[in-house]
Amino acid sequence: MPSINGEMGMQDMTDKATYERLEKDVTSVKNDIGALADQITDALNTLAGTASKQARRGYKNARANVDSVVDDLSERSSAMMGAAQDAAASVEETLENVITERPLATVGLALGLGFLIGVTWRR
């Protein structure tokens, strides 16, 4: 029987050593996972900071582009307004010239247009 107790003692010691080794391995894995989690957190924080900077830069660029487009449209609209005023002045001068050169034709044309508008308006 002593050999059975000796074998059991050896097996207990082997199991205990295996358990301690496994416990150390599990602790090591836990520490590695914690370190990896810290590294991932740092990487995500860095990525978030970079993304935020890029978003701000993109916003500033978009804002500058919008301001440029608005300025360009303002200049174009001013030029178009000037051209329209010039055209209106030209039409006005032309009408004045026609009225002074041919007053009877102008009155006849006005009466004819008035008649056509009146007939169209009735229907």
Side-chain angles (χ1 to χ4, degrees):
M1 291 253 206
S3 85
I4 293 176
N5 281 342
E7 287 177 15
M8 291 282 261
M10 279 298 251
Q11 190 174 4
D12 286 343
M13 287 176 70
T14 304
D15 288 346
K16 197 174 198 181
T18 302
Y19 177 76
E20 287 175 359
R21 198 172 61 238
L22 284 174
E23 194 172 43
K24 284 181 184 178
D25 288 345
V26 167
T27 302
S28 176
V29 168
K30 282 182 182 179
N31 291 337
D32 289 345
I33 289 173
L36 184 60
D38 289 342
Q39 289 176 350
I40 289 172
T41 300
D42 290 343
L44 288 176
N45 287 338
T46 302
L47 180 65
T50 302
S52 176
K53 287 178 186 176
Q54 287 178 348
R56 273 189 243 121
R57 193 176 313 126
Y59 172 75
K60 286 179 183 177
N61 288 339
R63 181 69 183 185
N65 289 340
V66 166
D67 288 343
S68 173
V69 167
V70 167
D71 290 343
D72 188 41
L73 287 176
S74 176
E75 289 174 12
R76 287 183 182 185
S77 65
S78 294
M80 292 174 92
M81 188 66 146
Q85 287 174 345
D86 290 344
S90 175
V91 167
E92 181 183 355
E93 288 176 14
T94 304
L95 282 175
E96 281 181 26
N97 289 339
V98 167
I99 291 171
T100 39
E101 289 177 10
R102 300 184 182 149
L104 291 178
T106 306
V107 170
L109 181 63
L111 287 173
L113 283 174
F115 177 75
L116 287 175
I117 291 173
V119 168
T120 306
W121 192 267
R122 271 190 186 176
R123 293 181 186 187

